[in-house]
PDB file of all heavy atoms in Angstrom:
ATOM      1  N   CYS A 242       2.880  -5.257   4.057  1.00  0.00           N
ATOM      2  CA  CYS A 242       3.051  -4.390   5.163  1.00  0.00           C
ATOM      3  C   CYS A 242       4.044  -3.363   4.845  1.00  0.00           C
ATOM      4  O   CYS A 242       4.028  -2.298   5.617  1.00  0.00           O
ATOM      5  CB  CYS A 242       3.057  -5.023   6.540  1.00  0.00           C
ATOM      6  SG  CYS A 242       1.675  -6.133   6.792  1.00  0.00           S
ATOM      7  N   HIS A 243       5.112  -3.694   3.958  1.00  0.00           N
ATOM      8  CA  HIS A 243       6.195  -2.802   3.790  1.00  0.00           C
ATOM      9  C   HIS A 243       6.483  -2.606   2.306  1.00  0.00           C
ATOM     10  O   HIS A 243       7.384  -2.860   1.751  1.00  0.00           O
ATOM     11  CB  HIS A 243       7.404  -3.398   4.396  1.00  0.00           C
ATOM     12  CG  HIS A 243       7.390  -3.532   5.812  1.00  0.00           C
ATOM     13  ND1 HIS A 243       6.738  -4.633   6.491  1.00  0.00           N
ATOM     14  CD2 HIS A 243       7.768  -2.832   6.851  1.00  0.00           C
ATOM     15  CE1 HIS A 243       6.911  -4.541   7.772  1.00  0.00           C
ATOM     16  NE2 HIS A 243       7.452  -3.370   8.069  1.00  0.00           N
ATOM     17  N   PRO A 244       5.383  -2.105   1.464  1.00  0.00           N
ATOM     18  CA  PRO A 244       5.588  -1.983   0.066  1.00  0.00           C
ATOM     19  C   PRO A 244       6.597  -0.914  -0.386  1.00  0.00           C
ATOM     20  O   PRO A 244       6.608   0.088   0.275  1.00  0.00           O
ATOM     21  CB  PRO A 244       4.213  -1.626  -0.456  1.00  0.00           C
ATOM     22  CG  PRO A 244       3.647  -0.985   0.679  1.00  0.00           C
ATOM     23  CD  PRO A 244       4.087  -1.617   1.989  1.00  0.00           C
ATOM     24  N   ALA A 245       7.301  -1.024  -1.392  1.00  0.00           N
ATOM     25  CA  ALA A 245       8.115  -0.080  -1.951  1.00  0.00           C
ATOM     26  C   ALA A 245       7.287   1.074  -2.429  1.00  0.00           C
ATOM     27  O   ALA A 245       6.266   0.865  -3.046  1.00  0.00           O
ATOM     28  CB  ALA A 245       8.910  -0.749  -3.131  1.00  0.00           C
ATOM     29  N   GLY A 246       7.715   2.304  -2.104  1.00  0.00           N
ATOM     30  CA  GLY A 246       7.027   3.422  -2.455  1.00  0.00           C
ATOM     31  C   GLY A 246       6.175   4.051  -1.348  1.00  0.00           C
ATOM     32  O   GLY A 246       5.461   5.060  -1.594  1.00  0.00           O
ATOM     33  N   VAL A 247       6.228   3.470  -0.175  1.00  0.00           N
ATOM     34  CA  VAL A 247       5.468   4.120   1.050  1.00  0.00           C
ATOM     35  C   VAL A 247       6.570   4.522   1.987  1.00  0.00           C
ATOM     36  O   VAL A 247       7.625   3.826   2.292  1.00  0.00           O
ATOM     37  CB  VAL A 247       4.594   3.107   1.730  1.00  0.00           C
ATOM     38  CG1 VAL A 247       4.026   3.540   3.000  1.00  0.00           C
ATOM     39  CG2 VAL A 247       3.362   2.766   0.827  1.00  0.00           C
ATOM     40  N   VAL A 248       6.473   5.766   2.458  1.00  0.00           N
ATOM     41  CA  VAL A 248       7.505   6.367   3.343  1.00  0.00           C
ATOM     42  C   VAL A 248       6.942   6.360   4.809  1.00  0.00           C
ATOM     43  O   VAL A 248       5.811   7.012   4.986  1.00  0.00           O
ATOM     44  CB  VAL A 248       7.985   7.709   2.928  1.00  0.00           C
ATOM     45  CG1 VAL A 248       8.870   8.292   3.880  1.00  0.00           C
ATOM     46  CG2 VAL A 248       8.520   7.696   1.445  1.00  0.00           C
ATOM     47  N   SER A 249       7.432   5.602   5.655  1.00  0.00           N
ATOM     48  CA  SER A 249       6.988   5.701   7.010  1.00  0.00           C
ATOM     49  C   SER A 249       7.091   7.149   7.674  1.00  0.00           C
ATOM     50  O   SER A 249       7.945   7.791   7.349  1.00  0.00           O
ATOM     51  CB  SER A 249       7.910   4.715   7.810  1.00  0.00           C
ATOM     52  OG  SER A 249       7.290   4.521   9.138  1.00  0.00           O
ATOM     53  N   GLY A 250       6.006   7.370   8.298  1.00  0.00           N
ATOM     54  CA  GLY A 250       5.917   8.743   8.914  1.00  0.00           C
ATOM     55  C   GLY A 250       5.221   9.848   8.068  1.00  0.00           C
ATOM     56  O   GLY A 250       5.134  10.993   8.394  1.00  0.00           O
ATOM     57  N   GLN A 251       4.825   9.414   6.831  1.00  0.00           N
ATOM     58  CA  GLN A 251       4.148  10.373   5.804  1.00  0.00           C
ATOM     59  C   GLN A 251       2.629  10.052   6.000  1.00  0.00           C
ATOM     60  O   GLN A 251       2.219   9.027   6.298  1.00  0.00           O
ATOM     61  CB  GLN A 251       4.677  10.121   4.555  1.00  0.00           C
ATOM     62  CG  GLN A 251       6.130  10.539   4.406  1.00  0.00           C
ATOM     63  CD  GLN A 251       6.375  12.079   4.450  1.00  0.00           C
ATOM     64  OE1 GLN A 251       5.762  12.740   3.690  1.00  0.00           O
ATOM     65  NE2 GLN A 251       7.175  12.535   5.374  1.00  0.00           N
TER      66      GLN A 251
END
Side-chain angles (χ1 to χ4, degrees):
C242 297
H243 299 84
V247 171
V248 179
S249 190
Q251 294 289 302

